Amino acid sequence: MPPATTSADVLVVGGGPAGLALSLLLLKSGATVALMEKSRSLEREYRGEILQPGGQAVLDRLGVLRGARDRGAYPHDGFQLVAGERVLLDSDYRRLPGPYNCLLSLPQAHLLAELLTACTAYPGFHHLPGTRLSSLLTEDGRVRGARGTGPDGAQEVRAQVVAGADGRHSKVRSLAGIGSVRQESFDQDVLWFKLPAPDPPPAGSRQSVQVYRGSGAPVLVYRSYPDSVQVGWTLPHGGYREVAALGIAHIRDRIAAAVPQHAAAVHDTLRGPGDLTLLDVFASQAERWAVDGLVLLGDSAHTHGPIGAQGINLALQDAVLLHPVLMDSLRTGDATAAFLSRFERARRPAIASVLRLQAMQGKAMLSGNSLASAVRPVVARAVARTPLYHRILHKLAYGAMPVPVRDDLFTAPSPRPSEGPRPCA
């Protein structure tokens, strides 16, 4: 049976934050979009859910921030580095200008659901959930679309441009013959798990994303909607096998000692390895981000570690910067690698800057060597009193460069009126 055939201006592969945000930007600008996503639903495991102010601003300009928050989220007022009962460093986001002066613990399923709902309101949107990419369509050396297999059988989508937003292990990137250079700039892996949340904190009390330093490995902790605490236990890179060999009881004891306020929940919740998810922390960058007829964005183009909660922010900003390049490509009919690489040339320096910042944060907050442990309190107190601290905080919150949404390109009226932002309160 021949495949079902669809045509669109742009085929987006990957329905994560980058792919859905790019789809919505293009739809608002009058383009037709097909979205190919291998998962059938949004009910899947997500790791990243901390949204920085820069990402919140993008979503607000797209008219989806308030709806995503209304589905359920927790604002946090910053990052804290904690050793014992001492707060060594307090990155207080309340010092930033409103209304986005907080971190938002927003389940990624809520974010994706709101973006997808906004996309489906446009008649030019063709959604292909549960469709696994199998091959790229090429003619005369140029990518012209892609084939996949979904619930209804074979699918073929022909498009002027294919945008690969299918994650760190991108099949689009692989099929396009684009290599990826892994950078071991982080020397940790992270074991992720969730615990039942304690009673809600008193009204008006501070809530922060916290990194706990103790005699063992650092632990990342924050409250996650609706009623859990997200925990990330850091390990030396590649060290999980050694720890796992000691058994789940050993792991429970180590984590409980690092976060004694959650010790009872740790012992009650962690019953076996199935309660833990290991994240291999690495950075990588694709050797190039475009070939004729195809461009990469988000984790497909550059992968980051979880330090500083940059993943969703960068994905959304990528979509914003790629949007006018694709609209110009559709207008001129030029989808050559040289033309599409305008996005890479504009974006790669900022990505490199964020990678350097993450590496610096990792050494400062997570390094376990004795010298770092000895000087960390002194350095943390000193940095917090300098102008450098505010510049770093601003870069964490908004990225290395301004990324304005090109709403002057919007031509299609929004079917869903925006109700405006909800302040971080």
Side-chain angles (χ1 to χ4, degrees), residues 108 119 158 183 188 215 232 240 255 261 284 289 302 319-320 322 369 377 385 396 403 419:
Q108 199 171 133
C119 287
R158 304 192 67 83
Q183 302 165 269
Q188 293 89 23
S215 57
Y240 175 65
I255 297 172
Q261 71 275 36
S284 68
W289 296 4
H302 49 83
V320 167
L322 181 56
N369 67 67
R385 299 188 180 98
L396 283 172
V403 185
E419 298 178 11

Coordinates of all heavy atoms in Angstrom, one line a residue, residues 108 119 158 183 188 215 232 240 255 261 284 289 302 319-320 322 369 377 385 396 403 419:
Q108 N 6.7 19.4 32.1 CA 6.8 19.6 30.7 C 5.6 19.1 29.9 O 5.3 19.7 28.8 CB 8.1 18.8 30.2 CG 8.6 19.3 28.8 CD 9.9 18.8 28.4 OE1 10.0 18.4 27.2 NE2 10.9 18.8 29.3
C119 N -1.4 25.1 18.6 CA -1.1 24.7 17.2 C -2.3 24.1 16.5 O -2.6 24.5 15.3 CB 0.1 23.7 17.2 SG 1.7 24.4 17.5
R158 N 6.0 15.8 2.3 CA 6.8 16.6 1.4 C 6.8 18.1 1.9 O 5.7 18.6 2.2 CB 6.4 16.5 0.0 CG 6.3 15.1 -0.5 CD 6.1 15.0 -2.0 NE 7.3 15.5 -2.8 CZ 8.4 14.8 -3.0 NH1 8.4 13.5 -2.6 NH2 9.4 15.3 -3.7
Q183 N 31.3 16.5 24.1 CA 32.2 17.2 25.0 C 32.0 16.8 26.4 O 31.0 17.0 27.0 CB 32.0 18.7 24.8 CG 32.1 19.2 23.4 CD 31.5 20.6 23.2 OE1 30.3 20.8 22.9 NE2 32.3 21.6 23.4
Q188 N 29.9 14.5 36.0 CA 28.9 13.9 36.8 C 27.8 13.3 35.9 O 27.5 13.7 34.8 CB 28.2 14.9 37.7 CG 29.0 15.5 38.8 CD 29.7 16.7 38.4 OE1 29.3 17.4 37.4 NE2 30.8 17.1 39.0
S215 N 29.1 15.6 53.0 CA 30.3 14.8 52.9 C 30.2 13.9 51.6 O 31.3 13.4 51.2 CB 30.4 14.0 54.1 OG 29.3 13.1 54.3
G232 N 17.7 15.0 42.3 CA 18.8 14.5 41.4 C 20.0 14.3 42.2 O 20.6 15.3 42.8
Y240 N 27.8 4.9 38.3 CA 26.6 4.3 38.8 C 26.8 2.8 39.0 O 26.3 2.2 40.0 CB 25.5 4.5 37.8 CG 24.2 3.8 38.2 CD1 23.5 4.1 39.4 CD2 23.7 2.8 37.5 CE1 22.4 3.5 39.8 CE2 22.5 2.1 37.8 CZ 21.9 2.5 39.0 OH 20.8 1.8 39.4
I255 N 21.7 8.9 50.1 CA 20.8 10.1 49.7 C 20.2 10.6 51.0 O 20.1 11.9 51.2 CB 19.8 9.7 48.7 CG1 20.5 9.2 47.4 CG2 18.8 10.8 48.4 CD1 19.5 8.6 46.4
Q261 N 16.2 16.1 55.7 CA 14.8 16.5 55.9 C 13.8 15.6 55.0 O 12.6 15.6 55.3 CB 14.6 18.0 55.5 CG 14.8 18.3 54.0 CD 16.2 18.5 53.6 OE1 17.1 17.8 54.0 NE2 16.4 19.4 52.7
S284 N 27.2 18.3 23.8 CA 27.6 17.9 22.5 C 27.1 19.0 21.5 O 26.1 19.7 21.8 CB 27.1 16.6 22.0 OG 25.6 16.6 21.9
W289 N 24.7 22.5 11.4 CA 23.3 22.5 11.8 C 22.4 22.5 10.6 O 21.2 22.5 10.8 CB 23.0 23.7 12.7 CG 23.7 23.7 14.0 CD1 24.6 22.8 14.5 CD2 23.6 24.7 15.0 NE1 25.1 23.2 15.7 CE2 24.4 24.3 16.1 CE3 22.8 25.8 15.2 CZ2 24.5 25.0 17.3 CZ3 22.9 26.6 16.4 CH2 23.7 26.2 17.4
H302 N 22.5 20.9 19.7 CA 23.4 21.1 20.8 C 22.8 20.6 22.1 O 21.6 20.9 22.4 CB 23.7 22.6 21.0 CG 22.5 23.5 21.0 ND1 21.7 23.7 22.1 CD2 21.9 24.2 19.9 CE1 20.7 24.5 21.8 NE2 20.8 24.8 20.5
A319 N 14.0 28.2 18.7 CA 12.8 28.3 17.8 C 12.5 29.8 17.4 O 12.2 30.0 16.3 CB 11.6 27.8 18.6
V320 N 12.7 30.7 18.4 CA 12.5 32.1 18.1 C 13.5 32.6 17.1 O 13.1 33.4 16.1 CB 12.6 32.9 19.4 CG1 12.7 34.4 19.1 CG2 11.4 32.6 20.3
L322 N 15.2 30.7 14.8 CA 15.1 30.1 13.5 C 13.8 30.5 12.8 O 13.8 30.5 11.5 CB 15.0 28.5 13.8 CG 14.9 27.6 12.6 CD1 16.0 27.9 11.6 CD2 14.9 26.2 13.0
N369 N 36.4 17.5 44.8 CA 37.8 17.4 45.3 C 38.0 18.3 46.6 O 37.2 19.3 46.8 CB 38.8 17.8 44.2 CG 38.7 19.3 43.9 OD1 39.0 20.2 44.6 ND2 38.3 19.6 42.6
P377 N 33.0 27.9 50.2 CA 32.3 28.9 51.0 C 32.9 30.3 50.9 O 32.1 31.3 50.8 CB 32.4 28.4 52.5 CG 32.7 26.9 52.3 CD 33.5 26.8 51.1
R385 N 28.9 39.3 46.3 CA 28.9 40.7 46.6 C 29.5 41.5 45.4 O 29.7 42.7 45.6 CB 29.8 41.0 47.8 CG 29.3 40.3 49.1 CD 30.1 40.8 50.3 NE 29.7 40.1 51.5 CZ 30.2 39.1 52.1 NH1 31.3 38.5 51.5 NH2 29.8 38.6 53.2
L396 N 22.0 33.5 33.3 CA 21.3 32.3 33.5 C 19.8 32.5 33.2 O 19.2 31.6 32.7 CB 21.5 31.9 35.0 CG 22.8 31.3 35.4 CD1 22.8 31.2 37.0 CD2 23.0 29.9 34.8
V403 N 16.8 37.6 22.7 CA 16.2 36.8 21.7 C 14.7 37.3 21.6 O 13.8 36.8 22.2 CB 16.2 35.3 22.1 CG1 15.6 34.5 20.9 CG2 17.6 34.9 22.4
E419 N -4.4 36.1 27.7 CA -4.9 36.8 28.9 C -3.8 37.5 29.6 O -4.0 38.1 30.7 CB -5.6 35.8 29.8 CG -6.8 35.1 29.2 CD -7.4 34.0 30.1 OE1 -7.0 34.0 31.3 OE2 -8.2 33.2 29.7

